[in-house]
Amino acid sequence: MKILIPADQIQQRVAELARQIARDYHDRPLTIVGVLTGSLIFLADLVRHLDLHLRIGLIQASSYRGETTTPGELTISPELLPELRGRHVLLLDDILDTGQTLVRLVERLQTLEIASLRTGVLLRKIGRQQVAFEPDYTGFDIPDAFVVGYGLDYNDEYRHLPYLAVLKDE
Ligand code: XMP
């Protein structure tokens, strides 16, 4: 495994993103909806920097299945979502790859009569997007490689690593 982004750089960037989000939402309550499972660590670190009127919700979406690094069919499970009607929502995911997951989730949340919707991702893979979609907050642009750590997994392993690493083919 090769370290792509060390832990201290991630922490620094998450704090910067939090400052930006705090500025943007200083005058309205915010609900951050994290996409399970990959955004868990990012969400937990980010919200601890935010001195705001804040609610947290979760939604599950998965497009990678087991021991494969290619996307499969997307399933969305909204059972864990709190009431979002009339709320200002920031949808938070770990990584923007093809963009299909976030686009589908945005479409889904927009059916819930929310007051506003923005999106944030920790990582955006360069040259992979299949849909024109620009997150409102992006942590890092990264090359097209399969990455693990800081919430991202391979077959549900490596999520606990405090840094981001590139998984080698073997
Ligand atoms: P799309 O293609 O819909 O993909 O933008 C978003 C979801 O795919 C997963 N994904 C990854 N997971 N390492 C991972 O551990 C990666 O390099 C990677 N690329 C995409 C992730 O679940 C994300 O939410």
Side-chain angles (χ1 to χ4, degrees), residues 25-138:
Y25 288 93
H26 72 278
D27 55 353
R28 44 199 172 138
L30 173 64
T31 303
I32 296 189
V33 173
V35 183
L36 287 175
T37 306
S39 76
L40 211 55
I41 313 279
F42 179 32
L43 174 75
D45 280 348
L46 184 81
V47 294
R48 281 178 286 178
H49 288 283
L50 292 173
D51 185 12
L52 292 174
H53 286 288
L54 186 71
R55 289 183 173 84
I56 297 173
L58 296 166
I59 190 165
Q60 186 158 30
S62 39
S63 62
Y64 282 92
R65 288 265 158 263
E67 293 179 25
T68 170
T69 57
T70 48
E73 200 179 320
L74 182 71
T75 37
I76 297 175
S77 313
E79 293 81 10
L80 297 171
L81 274 185
E83 173 66 55
L84 292 181
R85 192 176 313 160
R87 303 227 182 273
H88 297 283
V89 175
L90 171 59
L91 179 65
L92 204 68
D93 205 356
D94 52 358
I95 186 166
L96 186 82
D97 186 7
T98 65
Q100 302 287 356
T101 304
L102 266 190
V103 165
R104 289 271 308 280
L105 286 169
V106 163
E107 283 168 6
R108 187 70 164 253
L109 293 185
Q110 274 166 344
T111 65
L112 301 179
E113 296 174 52
I114 53 181
S116 70
L117 180 60
R118 288 189 178 183
T119 54
V121 293
L122 180 70
L123 306 171
R124 178 170 55 181
K125 274 191 199 171
I126 297 164
R128 286 274 302 169
Q129 276 83 77
Q130 295 171 353
V131 283
F133 183 83
E134 192 67 29
D136 298 285
Y137 307 97
T138 299

